[in-house]
Amino acid sequence: MSIWVFFTLLGSLALLMYGMKSMSEALQKMAGPQLRHVLGAMTTNRFTGMLTGMLVTASVQSSTATTVMTVSFVNAGLLTLAQAISVIMGANIGTTLTAWIMSAGMSFNIGDLAYPGFLVGIVLIYQKRHRYIGDFLFGLAFLIFALATLRVTGTNMHLGENPVVLSFFSSFDPDSFLTTLIFLLLGGILTFCVQSSAAVMAITMILCSSGALPIYQGIALVMGENIGTTVTSNLAAMSANTQARRAALAHMFFNVFGVIWILFVFRPFIDMVCGWVGYDVNMTKEVAGNAAFIANASKLSFVLAAFHTTFNVANTMILIWFIPQIEKFVCWAIKSKKVDEEEDFRLHFITAGFMKTPELSVLEAQKEIQQFANRMQRMFGMVRELLTLSSSFTDKKDAQAGDFNKLYTRIEKYEGISDNMELEIAKYLDSVSDAHLSDDTKAKIRAMLREISELESIGDACYNMARTISRKYNGKQDHFIERQYDHLHQMMELTDQSLTQMNKLMSGRKESFDLNRSFNIENEINNYRNQLKSQNINDINNHEYTYAVGTIYMDIINECEKLGDYVVNVVEARVGKRQKSL
């Protein structure tokens, strides 16, 4: 085999991988939000979940994309882990469509179809309205072209007549169980190294179709590919949250269990699949002749595809009845981390290394921003509690003073967490925006960047109020009078209502959100601030309290009003309105 043939083979595999990646990403750009809605609506039981996973994966040609969407729904509480497992089972069936496409490309000369695909694709790419269809056609053309090149290259390599290749495979005892295990391990290692089960499947089809690799060893390689791809996802999920790691483990359990039971019925099962396709497992070149042997071997790509589908369907039909037990197993194997929330700086939903589909990564970021918004409301609740504690102290050496200092320290920690969350989410969104995204997704990312900036400002406002309350408590100024405390609590109640409305929007669908409610609360806050400002001047003139106390009092009131403005900015960013001037 010449060096040029070798590079042609590697280049064709690279084209194959790129074509599949382009197709998958283009389909997700066209139908990403709709696919998420389908997953959320069609998983009412284990069977609809399985069918949904199968259809979505067959549509986007990516089981990873389906798994990512599924895990994000589990994190959001829209799906249970049991429902997610059924979707992942369906995804394993849906991904077998890729093998059928490849087997067709290996068996027939479809290369001429690539050129019209390139032509139509490039024309559509330059038309803004249809560029995603163009991306899909271009990726499909690359896939077809790669398969045609692989077919020609495999034929030109004459692997079935190469004595070195034949002697290598003949050195393994075809009837030995150890041989099956060796090829199974080899398939897993190759898939793990190449990071593409499709590329390893293509290599297996070339070797089998040329007559160099016996069918039993070829199918052992395919079984190894199934395990290899789950090892990759489990390693990627190690840095992810608990539910993502459980879903990845369930995926691995599904494939490992399938391989174990298939090893017990290995040859009868393969012989059954070969009979369906019409492949003669007993034909030899010496008896049948070279031409008949090659014609029989050409059916092997379909045998591999048929086995891949039959294996996953049979495995799903067995395990779908044991989903509750699988859920218990993965929950037992991967236990939730009990971390004090104030000390937990790690993001909950965004997972480094696990997101492989930029369009769908936006959903993960949105869930993280929801957590951010909820945390800021909890922080404001602590500020309200701090004000209550400060009003109840008559003696600074009271034992309750320790509670005041402890609560103030927690608020300080929250302020640091809000800074970290803004930076980490912004960094993640920046990395996602480097990919080729749809216009809608780009707009969402811009809105999210604005949301996290305003949420961090809410954290700053909360911390400023806490510092003011602490300065007042630890200073030499007089206490607020009872009327001031009443006004402060009333202003904080209005501010908390605005935060509650904001979190309703962040956790629900913006189409059903009453935007006027947020604007009305903001107007109430503004009007109340103006009323208290005028009253404060009168109270100081009437010597109700000192000017210093009135200044601190209005500082807290003004921070509440600013916080209300930041809340409205978050709401406007979420619903897609332009920024309001402060």
Side-chain angles (χ1 to χ4, degrees):
M1 182 173 66
S2 71
I3 189 69
W4 294 115
V5 174
F6 178 72
F7 278 119
T8 302
L9 178 65
L10 292 182
S12 301
L13 289 172
L15 271 180
L16 175 72
M17 293 162 65
Y18 178 77
M20 291 203 64
K21 181 175 181 290
S22 298
M23 284 175 58
S24 177
E25 289 183 353
L27 282 165
Q28 288 169 47
K29 288 174 188 175
M30 288 189 284
Q34 287 76 14
L35 290 175
R36 292 198 288 271
H37 295 156
V38 167
L39 268 179
M42 292 182 61
T43 50
T44 52
N45 59 59
R46 66 186 74 182
F47 296 103
T48 57
M50 182 266 293
L51 287 172
T52 303
M54 182 176 68
L55 293 173
V56 170
T57 305
S59 299
V60 300
Q61 285 293 290
S62 174
S63 58
T64 301
T66 307
T67 303
V68 167
M69 283 190 288
T70 305
V71 170
S72 66
F73 274 117
V74 174
N75 287 335
L78 300 176
L79 286 181
T80 64
L81 183 60
Q83 289 172 317
I85 292 171
S86 69
V87 173
I88 290 170
M89 287 181 178
N92 275 278
I93 298 175
T95 197
T96 62
L97 177 64
T98 305
W100 286 103
I101 295 171
M102 291 170 61
S103 64
M106 292 287 182
S107 303
F108 307 107
N109 184 16
I110 59 174
D112 292 340
L113 297 175
Y115 300 105
F118 282 128
L119 178 62
V120 176
I122 199 68
V123 170
L124 293 176
I125 284 172
Y126 283 101
Q127 295 180 9
K128 187 175 181 180
R129 186 177 176 185
H130 302 296
R131 66 182 182 277
Y132 302 134
I133 300 175
D135 285 338
F136 171 75
L137 288 176
F138 221 68
L140 180 61
F142 269 125
L143 176 65
I144 292 171
F145 185 75
L147 289 172
T149 309
L150 281 170
R151 178 175 177 271
V152 173
T153 305
T155 304
N156 293 339
M157 289 167 69
H158 302 293
L159 293 173
E161 301 169 11
N162 190 312
V164 177
V165 175
L166 290 174
S167 64
F168 172 76
F169 288 120
S170 62
S171 64
F172 295 95
D173 182 2
D175 298 321
S176 171
F177 182 70
L178 180 61
T179 298
T180 302
L181 293 180
I182 290 172
F183 277 85
L184 191 149
L185 182 63
L186 184 62
I189 293 172
L190 279 173
T191 305
F192 177 73
C193 294
V194 178
Q195 295 284 296
S196 172
S197 58
V200 182
M201 175 68 84
I203 294 171
T204 308
M205 284 184 175
I206 290 173
L207 289 170
C208 288
S209 298
S210 64
L213 180 65
I215 183 59
Y216 297 111
Q217 283 91 313
I219 284 180
L221 279 176
V222 172
M223 290 162 58
E225 291 158 19
N226 276 320
I227 296 178
T229 193
T230 63
V231 171
T232 303
S233 62
N234 272 271
L235 289 176
M238 285 180 68
S239 61
N241 52 58
T242 302
Q243 294 290 38
R245 288 185 289 125
R246 285 172 176 170
L249 181 60
H251 191 197
M252 175 179 273
F253 177 86
F254 175 86
N255 283 290
V256 170
F257 177 84
V259 167
I260 290 172
W261 73 258
I262 211 78
L263 287 174
F264 286 98
V265 291
F266 188 63
R267 285 183 175 266
F269 193 89
I270 295 172
D271 291 344
M272 176 185 70
V273 174
C274 290
W276 291 345
V277 177
Y279 172 77
D280 186 355
V281 293
N282 298 313
M283 182 181 290
T284 59
K285 187 185 297 184
E286 292 76 14
V287 176
N290 188 59
F293 180 77
I294 294 298
N296 190 48
S298 66
K299 299 176 184 176
L300 282 174
S301 60
F302 285 106
V303 173
L304 291 171
F307 171 81
H308 199 208
T309 301
T310 308
F311 164 74
N312 281 291
V313 169
N315 203 26
T316 299
M317 290 301 100
I318 293 171
L319 289 178
I320 200 167
W321 305 102
F322 299 97
I323 286 177
Q325 288 75 22
I326 296 172
E327 181 184 19
K328 287 179 182 177
F329 168 73
V330 295
C331 289
W332 169 80
I334 302 176
K335 295 183 172 57
S336 300
K337 293 181 180 179
K338 294 182 179 179
V339 184
D340 182 19
E341 190 173 5
E342 278 69 46
E343 304 297 332
D344 185 12
F345 293 96
R346 189 174 66 84
L347 298 179
H348 288 226
F349 300 107
I350 291 174
T351 54
F354 193 61
M355 296 291 106
K356 294 185 179 180
T357 51
E359 289 285 328
L360 301 172
S361 300
V362 174
L363 181 64
E364 298 296 289
Q366 187 61 57
K367 298 303 175 189
E368 200 64 68
I369 293 172
Q370 288 176 21
Q371 277 290 104
F372 194 178
N374 284 322
R375 190 171 291 215
M376 290 304 94
Q377 186 167 13
R378 286 199 299 273
M379 184 180 181
F380 183 72
M382 292 178 198
V383 174
R384 296 181 70 181
E385 187 180 347
L386 193 74
L387 178 66
T388 302
L389 286 173
S390 71
S391 66
S392 64
F393 294 153
T394 55
D395 183 359
K396 302 290 176 64
K397 295 181 180 179
D398 192 284
Q400 283 185 306
D403 294 334
F404 182 94
N405 294 328
K406 187 184 295 183
L407 185 58
Y408 180 74
T409 302
R410 287 181 68 194
I411 294 171
E412 280 187 314
K413 287 182 180 179
Y414 260 69
E415 204 279 329
I417 290 172
S418 72
D419 291 342
N420 286 333
M421 290 189 77
E422 181 196 19
L423 291 174
E424 290 300 317
I425 296 172
K427 188 190 303 181
Y428 179 76
L429 289 173
D430 185 55
S431 66
V432 171
S433 64
D434 288 338
H436 297 293
L437 302 169
S438 64
D439 290 339
D440 286 344
T441 304
K442 288 176 183 175
K444 284 179 185 175
I445 289 177
R446 287 194 296 271
M448 287 179 183
L449 289 170
R450 182 180 158 199
E451 287 170 21
I452 60 173
S453 175
E454 300 295 343
L455 286 170
E456 195 276 332
S457 295
I458 291 173
D460 289 342
C462 290
Y463 184 50
N464 288 339
M465 279 186 269
R467 285 196 302 176
T468 303
I469 294 168
S470 179
R471 188 171 72 248
K472 171 73 177 64
Y473 169 67
N474 292 312
K476 296 180 180 179
Q477 294 88 357
D478 296 330
H479 284 289
F480 293 137
I481 64 174
E482 186 175 347
R483 181 154 38 89
Q484 284 178 305
Y485 278 117
D486 291 340
H487 293 158
L488 285 168
H489 287 305
Q490 191 171 345
M491 174 61 94
M492 287 188 170
E493 176 61 30
L494 284 172
T495 308
D496 191 60
Q497 287 177 23
S498 70
L499 287 164
T500 300
Q501 284 297 112
M502 177 189 76
N503 278 307
K504 280 183 181 177
L505 171 63
M506 301 299 282
S507 60
R509 293 181 67 85
K510 59 186 179 184
E511 294 82 4
S512 59
F513 180 73
D514 183 8
L515 191 61
N516 290 327
R517 175 64 178 148
S518 289
F519 289 147
N520 290 339
I521 294 174
E522 187 211 10
N523 289 331
E524 285 186 61
I525 291 173
N526 290 342
N527 293 334
Y528 196 48
R529 186 274 311 264
N530 294 336
Q531 176 189 332
L532 294 179
K533 187 176 181 181
S534 299
Q535 187 175 343
N536 179 60
I537 295 172
N538 292 332
D539 288 343
I540 291 173
N541 289 334
N542 294 330
H543 304 291
E544 297 279 345
Y545 44 79
T546 65
Y547 181 83
V549 170
T551 301
I552 293 175
Y553 166 67
M554 284 310 300
D555 283 346
I556 300 174
I557 295 294
N558 287 327
E559 284 295 338
C560 283
E561 192 277 331
K562 285 182 186 176
L563 195 154
D565 286 336
Y566 298 141
V567 167
V568 169
N569 288 339
V570 173
V571 169
E572 288 181 339
R574 181 77 175 91
V575 298
K577 290 188 175 290
R578 65 180 182 83
Q579 185 158 359
K580 180 181 82 68
S581 57
L582 296 177

